[in-house]
Amino acid sequence: MKRTMTVIALSLALGLAFAPQGYASNLKEDAEIIVNKARLVIEEVRTAPDSGAAYDLIRQSAGVVIIPDMFKGGFIVGGSYGKGVVVARKDGKWSGPSFVYIGAGSVGLQIGAQLTDLILVVIGQKTMDTFLRSNFKLGADAAVAVGPVGAQATAATEILLKGGIYSYSRSKGLFAGVSLEGAGMGAEFDLNRAYYQTTSNPREILYGDVETPESGKRLFEALSKFIKK
């Protein structure tokens, strides 16, 4: 009996010792998957026939948010949730990515579920600084508007003049603007820590104070190709 209790105690101790390492390893893998999926979203949107306006806006942006495989669904009361990355752009150079989440609720007669890729084009440094917060709400803490599609977005809109966010979705190959008024966003500190190992601070990441891993650099390359197409 005593020997059995000793074995159980040793097993529990080993489990506690290795559980955090296993958890961190899974988070690191999750972070890499999110970054690679974000890159694929940009590469696929690059060839979309209606992405001209997004291309024009990203050229003027202070940053871009990419949420791959955002889940949408529900019955009567629906909602959506996803995790992705935000990257900053200043003087033609990219920095990040920093991990973020987005969540939105909706009420109405609806049924079913779908996965949607989400792209948010951030205009103005003041709006970009919003992503340094732990959480905020679109429409309240940051102006948000449905992104134009098709022709290039050259008109001087309120957001282009004062800053804010243009929102786009891509589902089943279709690229379109999407309404996100009232959606909540915030930083994913655990994913930041797992990805960079040295910090979870969005400010350090988005200001380029840390070395970007290779998967992040490949995302930057995809974004640079997109705006130079």
Side-chain angles (χ1 to χ4, degrees):
M1 180 68 178
K2 185 176 180 181
R3 182 179 179 184
T4 302
M5 293 300 293
T6 302
V7 170
I8 292 173
L10 181 60
S11 298
L12 287 172
L14 287 171
L16 290 172
F18 287 103
Q21 183 178 355
Y23 176 69
S25 177
N26 288 338
L27 274 180
K28 171 69 172 174
E29 184 178 346
D30 290 346
E32 290 284 352
I33 289 172
I34 290 172
V35 174
N36 285 325
K37 282 187 174 182
R39 174 179 53 81
L40 290 174
V41 168
I42 293 300
E43 289 177 349
E44 290 170 3
V45 168
R46 182 170 173 251
T47 61
D50 291 332
S51 64
Y55 147 79
D56 197 37
L57 291 171
I58 290 175
R59 290 186 64 189
Q60 305 175 64
S61 73
V64 179
V65 182
I66 308 145
I67 312 285
D69 295 342
M70 181 173 172
F71 176 80
K72 297 176 65 180
F75 178 72
I76 306 302
V77 177
S80 54
Y81 181 80
K83 294 182 181 181
V85 294
V86 53
V87 295
R89 182 170 180 263
K90 192 171 184 179
D91 299 327
K93 295 182 180 180
W94 299 98
S95 57
S98 181
F99 292 84
V100 293
Y101 70 84
I102 183 170
S106 61
V107 178
L109 187 61
Q110 53 185 302
I111 187 169
Q114 69 179 103
L115 292 176
T116 301
D117 298 325
L118 192 66
I119 297 177
L120 308 180
V121 183
V122 185
I123 305 296
Q125 187 58 46
K126 185 177 180 180
T127 306
M128 191 67 222
D129 289 343
T130 306
F131 290 90
L132 305 179
R133 305 182 194 177
S134 58
N135 57 74
F136 60 94
K137 183 174 285 189
L138 297 177
D141 300 310
V144 61
V146 175
V149 295
Q152 291 187 339
T154 54
T157 66
E158 189 77 3
I159 281 182
L160 282 175
L161 292 172
K162 296 184 177 180
I165 295 170
Y166 286 106
S167 53
Y168 290 95
S169 68
R170 191 188 71 94
S171 181
K172 297 179 180 179
L174 298 176
F175 188 66
V178 61
S179 176
L180 288 175
E181 189 81 21
M185 293 195 72
E188 282 283 351
F189 294 102
D190 287 347
L191 285 172
N192 279 346
R193 173 69 66 180
Y195 189 65
Y196 289 98
Q197 304 294 306
T198 57
T199 185
S200 63
N201 189 329
R203 181 178 296 275
E204 294 178 4
I205 294 167
L206 293 175
Y207 281 9
D209 295 336
V210 292
E211 178 67 21
T212 301
E214 285 303 313
S215 57
K217 292 177 181 177
R218 289 193 293 271
L219 172 58
F220 295 167
E221 290 173 5
L223 282 162
S224 295
K225 287 179 181 178
F226 181 85
I227 60 178
K228 292 177 180 177
K229 70 174 186 175

